[in-house]
PDB file of all heavy atoms in Angstrom:
ATOM      1  N   ARG F 209       0.825  -1.206   0.000  1.00 91.00           N
ATOM      2  CA  ARG F 209       0.000   0.000   0.000  1.00 91.00           C
ATOM      3  C   ARG F 209       0.865   1.264   0.000  1.00 91.00           C
ATOM      4  O   ARG F 209       0.576   2.230  -0.707  1.00 91.00           O
ATOM      5  CB  ARG F 209      -0.933  -0.002   1.199  1.00 91.00           C
ATOM      6  CG  ARG F 209      -2.100   0.943   1.062  1.00 91.00           C
ATOM      7  CD  ARG F 209      -3.102   0.832   2.204  1.00 91.00           C
ATOM      8  NE  ARG F 209      -3.553  -0.544   2.438  1.00 91.00           N
ATOM      9  CZ  ARG F 209      -3.253  -1.252   3.534  1.00 91.00           C
ATOM     10  NH1 ARG F 209      -2.530  -0.749   4.494  1.00 91.00           N
ATOM     11  NH2 ARG F 209      -3.692  -2.487   3.649  1.00 91.00           N
ATOM     12  N   THR F 210       1.957   1.262   0.789  1.00 93.00           N
ATOM     13  CA  THR F 210       2.828   2.447   0.826  1.00 93.00           C
ATOM     14  C   THR F 210       3.556   2.634  -0.496  1.00 93.00           C
ATOM     15  O   THR F 210       3.925   3.761  -0.845  1.00 93.00           O
ATOM     16  CB  THR F 210       3.846   2.348   1.973  1.00 93.00           C
ATOM     17  OG1 THR F 210       4.604   1.152   1.835  1.00 93.00           O
ATOM     18  CG2 THR F 210       3.163   2.380   3.311  1.00 93.00           C
ATOM     19  N   ALA F 211       3.755   1.558  -1.247  1.00 93.00           N
ATOM     20  CA  ALA F 211       4.402   1.648  -2.558  1.00 93.00           C
ATOM     21  C   ALA F 211       3.392   1.931  -3.664  1.00 93.00           C
ATOM     22  O   ALA F 211       3.765   2.012  -4.836  1.00 93.00           O
ATOM     23  CB  ALA F 211       5.154   0.360  -2.865  1.00 93.00           C
ATOM     24  N   GLY F 212       2.119   2.093  -3.293  1.00 92.00           N
ATOM     25  CA  GLY F 212       1.094   2.373  -4.293  1.00 92.00           C
ATOM     26  C   GLY F 212       0.654   1.147  -5.067  1.00 92.00           C
ATOM     27  O   GLY F 212       0.196   1.257  -6.197  1.00 92.00           O
ATOM     28  N   ARG F 213       0.805   0.001  -4.481  1.00 90.00           N
ATOM     29  CA  ARG F 213       0.423  -1.245  -5.142  1.00 90.00           C
ATOM     30  C   ARG F 213      -0.579  -2.004  -4.304  1.00 90.00           C
ATOM     31  O   ARG F 213      -0.894  -1.623  -3.187  1.00 90.00           O
ATOM     32  CB  ARG F 213       1.656  -2.129  -5.361  1.00 90.00           C
ATOM     33  CG  ARG F 213       2.675  -1.474  -6.226  1.00 90.00           C
ATOM     34  CD  ARG F 213       3.912  -2.324  -6.309  1.00 90.00           C
ATOM     35  NE  ARG F 213       4.476  -2.123  -7.622  1.00 90.00           N
ATOM     36  CZ  ARG F 213       5.042  -3.065  -8.329  1.00 90.00           C
ATOM     37  NH1 ARG F 213       5.155  -4.271  -7.860  1.00 90.00           N
ATOM     38  NH2 ARG F 213       5.522  -2.813  -9.523  1.00 90.00           N
ATOM     39  N   GLN F 214      -1.045  -3.138  -4.839  1.00 86.00           N
ATOM     40  CA  GLN F 214      -1.962  -4.002  -4.121  1.00 86.00           C
ATOM     41  C   GLN F 214      -1.420  -5.424  -4.189  1.00 86.00           C
ATOM     42  O   GLN F 214      -0.944  -5.865  -5.236  1.00 86.00           O
ATOM     43  CB  GLN F 214      -3.356  -3.951  -4.747  1.00 86.00           C
ATOM     44  CG  GLN F 214      -4.369  -4.805  -4.037  1.00 86.00           C
ATOM     45  CD  GLN F 214      -5.737  -4.711  -4.695  1.00 86.00           C
ATOM     46  OE1 GLN F 214      -5.939  -3.924  -5.595  1.00 86.00           O
ATOM     47  NE2 GLN F 214      -6.652  -5.536  -4.243  1.00 86.00           N
ATOM     48  N   ALA F 215      -1.470  -6.121  -3.065  1.00 80.00           N
ATOM     49  CA  ALA F 215      -0.968  -7.494  -3.039  1.00 80.00           C
ATOM     50  C   ALA F 215      -1.827  -8.386  -3.921  1.00 80.00           C
ATOM     51  O   ALA F 215      -3.043  -8.274  -3.932  1.00 80.00           O
ATOM     52  CB  ALA F 215      -0.967  -8.015  -1.605  1.00 80.00           C
ATOM     53  N   ARG F 216      -1.172  -9.277  -4.670  1.00 80.00           N
ATOM     54  CA  ARG F 216      -1.895 -10.219  -5.527  1.00 80.00           C
ATOM     55  C   ARG F 216      -2.343 -11.398  -4.698  1.00 80.00           C
ATOM     56  O   ARG F 216      -1.575 -11.953  -3.917  1.00 80.00           O
ATOM     57  CB  ARG F 216      -0.987 -10.665  -6.659  1.00 80.00           C
ATOM     58  CG  ARG F 216      -0.571  -9.515  -7.542  1.00 80.00           C
ATOM     59  CD  ARG F 216       0.436  -9.964  -8.556  1.00 80.00           C
ATOM     60  NE  ARG F 216       0.834  -8.831  -9.376  1.00 80.00           N
ATOM     61  CZ  ARG F 216       1.872  -8.853 -10.191  1.00 80.00           C
ATOM     62  NH1 ARG F 216       2.607  -9.940 -10.290  1.00 80.00           N
ATOM     63  NH2 ARG F 216       2.174  -7.803 -10.911  1.00 80.00           N
ATOM     64  N   ARG F 217      -3.592 -11.797  -4.865  1.00 82.00           N
ATOM     65  CA  ARG F 217      -4.153 -12.853  -4.027  1.00 82.00           C
ATOM     66  C   ARG F 217      -4.522 -14.120  -4.806  1.00 82.00           C
ATOM     67  O   ARG F 217      -4.499 -15.195  -4.264  1.00 82.00           O
ATOM     68  CB  ARG F 217      -5.419 -12.349  -3.333  1.00 82.00           C
ATOM     69  CG  ARG F 217      -5.181 -11.225  -2.397  1.00 82.00           C
ATOM     70  CD  ARG F 217      -4.719 -11.764  -1.071  1.00 82.00           C
ATOM     71  NE  ARG F 217      -4.615 -10.675  -0.120  1.00 82.00           N
ATOM     72  CZ  ARG F 217      -3.519 -10.404   0.548  1.00 82.00           C
ATOM     73  NH1 ARG F 217      -2.456 -11.130   0.388  1.00 82.00           N
ATOM     74  NH2 ARG F 217      -3.486  -9.395   1.384  1.00 82.00           N
ATOM     75  N   THR F 218      -4.881 -14.006  -6.045  1.00 89.00           N
ATOM     76  CA  THR F 218      -5.343 -15.172  -6.794  1.00 89.00           C
ATOM     77  C   THR F 218      -4.322 -15.564  -7.855  1.00 89.00           C
ATOM     78  O   THR F 218      -3.447 -14.778  -8.224  1.00 89.00           O
ATOM     79  CB  THR F 218      -6.690 -14.885  -7.488  1.00 89.00           C
ATOM     80  OG1 THR F 218      -6.496 -13.850  -8.455  1.00 89.00           O
ATOM     81  CG2 THR F 218      -7.739 -14.454  -6.482  1.00 89.00           C
ATOM     82  N   LEU F 219      -4.446 -16.783  -8.367  1.00 87.00           N
ATOM     83  CA  LEU F 219      -3.552 -17.248  -9.419  1.00 87.00           C
ATOM     84  C   LEU F 219      -3.699 -16.390 -10.669  1.00 87.00           C
ATOM     85  O   LEU F 219      -2.710 -16.087 -11.338  1.00 87.00           O
ATOM     86  CB  LEU F 219      -3.846 -18.721  -9.740  1.00 87.00           C
ATOM     87  CG  LEU F 219      -3.010 -19.355 -10.840  1.00 87.00           C
ATOM     88  CD1 LEU F 219      -1.534 -19.344 -10.482  1.00 87.00           C
ATOM     89  CD2 LEU F 219      -3.481 -20.765 -11.114  1.00 87.00           C
ATOM     90  N   ALA F 220      -4.914 -15.962 -10.977  1.00 89.00           N
ATOM     91  CA  ALA F 220      -5.138 -15.117 -12.156  1.00 89.00           C
ATOM     92  C   ALA F 220      -4.424 -13.771 -12.017  1.00 89.00           C
ATOM     93  O   ALA F 220      -3.933 -13.219 -13.000  1.00 89.00           O
ATOM     94  CB  ALA F 220      -6.633 -14.895 -12.366  1.00 89.00           C
ATOM     95  N   GLU F 221      -4.340 -13.238 -10.807  1.00 88.00           N
ATOM     96  CA  GLU F 221      -3.628 -11.972 -10.590  1.00 88.00           C
ATOM     97  C   GLU F 221      -2.116 -12.180 -10.623  1.00 88.00           C
ATOM     98  O   GLU F 221      -1.377 -11.327 -11.111  1.00 88.00           O
ATOM     99  CB  GLU F 221      -4.024 -11.374  -9.240  1.00 88.00           C
ATOM    100  CG  GLU F 221      -5.447 -10.866  -9.172  1.00 88.00           C
ATOM    101  CD  GLU F 221      -5.820 -10.403  -7.782  1.00 88.00           C
ATOM    102  OE1 GLU F 221      -5.110 -10.759  -6.815  1.00 88.00           O
ATOM    103  OE2 GLU F 221      -6.826  -9.693  -7.654  1.00 88.00           O
ATOM    104  N   MET F 222      -1.654 -13.319 -10.106  1.00 87.00           N
ATOM    105  CA  MET F 222      -0.215 -13.566 -10.035  1.00 87.00           C
ATOM    106  C   MET F 222       0.371 -13.975 -11.383  1.00 87.00           C
ATOM    107  O   MET F 222       1.494 -13.623 -11.701  1.00 87.00           O
ATOM    108  CB  MET F 222       0.072 -14.653  -8.996  1.00 87.00           C
ATOM    109  CG  MET F 222      -0.141 -14.196  -7.583  1.00 87.00           C
ATOM    110  SD  MET F 222       0.372 -15.450  -6.413  1.00 87.00           S
ATOM    111  CE  MET F 222      -1.202 -16.145  -5.981  1.00 87.00           C
ATOM    112  N   ALA F 223      -0.375 -14.735 -12.164  1.00 90.00           N
ATOM    113  CA  ALA F 223       0.123 -15.227 -13.448  1.00 90.00           C
ATOM    114  C   ALA F 223      -0.983 -15.115 -14.489  1.00 90.00           C
ATOM    115  O   ALA F 223      -1.643 -16.106 -14.811  1.00 90.00           O
ATOM    116  CB  ALA F 223       0.596 -16.659 -13.313  1.00 90.00           C
ATOM    117  N   PRO F 224      -1.199 -13.916 -15.032  1.00 91.00           N
ATOM    118  CA  PRO F 224      -2.265 -13.765 -16.034  1.00 91.00           C
ATOM    119  C   PRO F 224      -1.981 -14.632 -17.263  1.00 91.00           C
ATOM    120  O   PRO F 224      -0.857 -14.732 -17.730  1.00 91.00           O
ATOM    121  CB  PRO F 224      -2.200 -12.278 -16.400  1.00 91.00           C
ATOM    122  CG  PRO F 224      -1.404 -11.620 -15.338  1.00 91.00           C
ATOM    123  CD  PRO F 224      -0.526 -12.663 -14.746  1.00 91.00           C
ATOM    124  N   GLY F 225      -3.016 -15.292 -17.774  1.00 92.00           N
ATOM    125  CA  GLY F 225      -2.882 -16.126 -18.962  1.00 92.00           C
ATOM    126  C   GLY F 225      -2.389 -17.530 -18.691  1.00 92.00           C
ATOM    127  O   GLY F 225      -2.278 -18.333 -19.614  1.00 92.00           O
ATOM    128  N   TYR F 226      -2.091 -17.858 -17.446  1.00 91.00           N
ATOM    129  CA  TYR F 226      -1.599 -19.200 -17.116  1.00 91.00           C
ATOM    130  C   TYR F 226      -2.748 -20.195 -17.221  1.00 91.00           C
ATOM    131  O   TYR F 226      -3.826 -19.965 -16.710  1.00 91.00           O
ATOM    132  CB  TYR F 226      -1.029 -19.217 -15.693  1.00 91.00           C
ATOM    133  CG  TYR F 226      -0.568 -20.582 -15.242  1.00 91.00           C
ATOM    134  CD1 TYR F 226       0.660 -21.077 -15.644  1.00 91.00           C
ATOM    135  CD2 TYR F 226      -1.362 -21.363 -14.416  1.00 91.00           C
ATOM    136  CE1 TYR F 226       1.089 -22.332 -15.231  1.00 91.00           C
ATOM    137  CE2 TYR F 226      -0.943 -22.618 -14.004  1.00 91.00           C
ATOM    138  CZ  TYR F 226       0.283 -23.093 -14.413  1.00 91.00           C
ATOM    139  OH  TYR F 226       0.699 -24.325 -14.002  1.00 91.00           O
ATOM    140  N   GLU F 227      -2.501 -21.300 -17.910  1.00 90.00           N
ATOM    141  CA  GLU F 227      -3.501 -22.355 -18.028  1.00 90.00           C
ATOM    142  C   GLU F 227      -3.035 -23.549 -17.220  1.00 90.00           C
ATOM    143  O   GLU F 227      -1.923 -24.043 -17.410  1.00 90.00           O
ATOM    144  CB  GLU F 227      -3.700 -22.755 -19.488  1.00 90.00           C
ATOM    145  CG  GLU F 227      -4.337 -21.665 -20.325  1.00 90.00           C
ATOM    146  CD  GLU F 227      -4.603 -22.126 -21.744  1.00 90.00           C
ATOM    147  OE1 GLU F 227      -4.778 -23.357 -21.954  1.00 90.00           O
ATOM    148  OE2 GLU F 227      -4.638 -21.278 -22.635  1.00 90.00           O
ATOM    149  N   ARG F 228      -3.882 -24.025 -16.336  1.00 87.00           N
ATOM    150  CA  ARG F 228      -3.528 -25.164 -15.504  1.00 87.00           C
ATOM    151  C   ARG F 228      -3.463 -26.430 -16.337  1.00 87.00           C
ATOM    152  O   ARG F 228      -4.212 -26.616 -17.275  1.00 87.00           O
ATOM    153  CB  ARG F 228      -4.550 -25.350 -14.393  1.00 87.00           C
ATOM    154  CG  ARG F 228      -4.495 -24.235 -13.385  1.00 87.00           C
ATOM    155  CD  ARG F 228      -5.424 -24.528 -12.246  1.00 87.00           C
ATOM    156  NE  ARG F 228      -5.359 -23.440 -11.291  1.00 87.00           N
ATOM    157  CZ  ARG F 228      -5.744 -23.558 -10.039  1.00 87.00           C
ATOM    158  NH1 ARG F 228      -6.241 -24.687  -9.603  1.00 87.00           N
ATOM    159  NH2 ARG F 228      -5.657 -22.542  -9.225  1.00 87.00           N
ATOM    160  N   GLN F 229      -2.543 -27.307 -15.961  1.00 87.00           N
ATOM    161  CA  GLN F 229      -2.387 -28.578 -16.651  1.00 87.00           C
ATOM    162  C   GLN F 229      -3.512 -29.521 -16.237  1.00 87.00           C
ATOM    163  O   GLN F 229      -3.993 -29.466 -15.108  1.00 87.00           O
ATOM    164  CB  GLN F 229      -1.040 -29.213 -16.304  1.00 87.00           C
ATOM    165  CG  GLN F 229       0.134 -28.380 -16.751  1.00 87.00           C
ATOM    166  CD  GLN F 229       0.210 -28.292 -18.254  1.00 87.00           C
ATOM    167  OE1 GLN F 229      -0.002 -29.272 -18.953  1.00 87.00           O
ATOM    168  NE2 GLN F 229       0.487 -27.105 -18.766  1.00 87.00           N
ATOM    169  N   PRO F 230      -3.944 -30.409 -17.129  1.00 86.00           N
ATOM    170  CA  PRO F 230      -4.983 -31.373 -16.745  1.00 86.00           C
ATOM    171  C   PRO F 230      -4.453 -32.344 -15.694  1.00 86.00           C
ATOM    172  O   PRO F 230      -3.245 -32.570 -15.586  1.00 86.00           O
ATOM    173  CB  PRO F 230      -5.311 -32.093 -18.049  1.00 86.00           C
ATOM    174  CG  PRO F 230      -4.148 -31.849 -18.929  1.00 86.00           C
ATOM    175  CD  PRO F 230      -3.532 -30.552 -18.509  1.00 86.00           C
ATOM    176  N   VAL F 231      -5.345 -32.908 -14.950  1.00 85.00           N
ATOM    177  CA  VAL F 231      -4.974 -33.851 -13.901  1.00 85.00           C
ATOM    178  C   VAL F 231      -4.552 -35.164 -14.544  1.00 85.00           C
ATOM    179  O   VAL F 231      -5.220 -35.692 -15.428  1.00 85.00           O
ATOM    180  CB  VAL F 231      -6.166 -34.080 -12.946  1.00 85.00           C
ATOM    181  CG1 VAL F 231      -5.829 -35.132 -11.905  1.00 85.00           C
ATOM    182  CG2 VAL F 231      -6.565 -32.783 -12.286  1.00 85.00           C
ATOM    183  N   LEU F 232      -3.420 -35.697 -14.092  1.00 83.00           N
ATOM    184  CA  LEU F 232      -2.910 -36.958 -14.605  1.00 83.00           C
ATOM    185  C   LEU F 232      -3.445 -38.086 -13.737  1.00 83.00           C
ATOM    186  O   LEU F 232      -3.220 -38.121 -12.527  1.00 83.00           O
ATOM    187  CB  LEU F 232      -1.383 -36.969 -14.580  1.00 83.00           C
ATOM    188  CG  LEU F 232      -0.693 -38.257 -15.001  1.00 83.00           C
ATOM    189  CD1 LEU F 232      -1.015 -38.567 -16.461  1.00 83.00           C
ATOM    190  CD2 LEU F 232       0.790 -38.155 -14.782  1.00 83.00           C
ATOM    191  N   LEU F 233      -4.168 -39.006 -14.334  1.00 80.00           N
ATOM    192  CA  LEU F 233      -4.705 -40.150 -13.617  1.00 80.00           C
ATOM    193  C   LEU F 233      -3.838 -41.366 -13.908  1.00 80.00           C
ATOM    194  O   LEU F 233      -3.637 -41.729 -15.064  1.00 80.00           O
ATOM    195  CB  LEU F 233      -6.149 -40.426 -14.033  1.00 80.00           C
ATOM    196  CG  LEU F 233      -7.141 -39.300 -13.779  1.00 80.00           C
ATOM    197  CD1 LEU F 233      -8.515 -39.672 -14.324  1.00 80.00           C
ATOM    198  CD2 LEU F 233      -7.225 -39.001 -12.294  1.00 80.00           C
ATOM    199  N   LEU F 234      -3.320 -41.987 -12.864  1.00 82.00           N
ATOM    200  CA  LEU F 234      -2.436 -43.132 -13.039  1.00 82.00           C
ATOM    201  C   LEU F 234      -3.139 -44.450 -12.750  1.00 82.00           C
ATOM    202  O   LEU F 234      -2.516 -45.425 -12.380  1.00 82.00           O
ATOM    203  CB  LEU F 234      -1.219 -42.979 -12.129  1.00 82.00           C
ATOM    204  CG  LEU F 234      -0.342 -41.775 -12.436  1.00 82.00           C
ATOM    205  CD1 LEU F 234       0.775 -41.670 -11.411  1.00 82.00           C
ATOM    206  CD2 LEU F 234       0.234 -41.868 -13.832  1.00 82.00           C
ATOM    207  N   THR F 235      -4.442 -44.473 -12.931  1.00 84.00           N
ATOM    208  CA  THR F 235      -5.193 -45.704 -12.726  1.00 84.00           C
ATOM    209  C   THR F 235      -5.829 -46.127 -14.049  1.00 84.00           C
ATOM    210  O   THR F 235      -6.101 -45.309 -14.917  1.00 84.00           O
ATOM    211  CB  THR F 235      -6.300 -45.507 -11.679  1.00 84.00           C
ATOM    212  OG1 THR F 235      -7.164 -44.465 -12.110  1.00 84.00           O
ATOM    213  CG2 THR F 235      -5.698 -45.162 -10.328  1.00 84.00           C
TER     214      THR F 235
END
């Protein structure tokens, strides 16, 4: 806040455009 910014809280805020990998099922 003192630096004029806002802390990033979500994955979308931290890494815009990031697509999660599909879950790997080993069964």
Side-chain angles (χ1 to χ4, degrees):
R209 198 174 308 112
T210 57
R213 299 175 147 217
Q214 181 180 353
R216 298 174 181 168
R217 297 277 186 235
T218 64
L219 179 61
E221 291 175 343
M222 289 186 259
Y226 177 80
E227 292 184 27
R228 292 185 180 200
Q229 297 294 319
V231 176
L232 176 63
L233 300 176
L234 297 176
T235 58

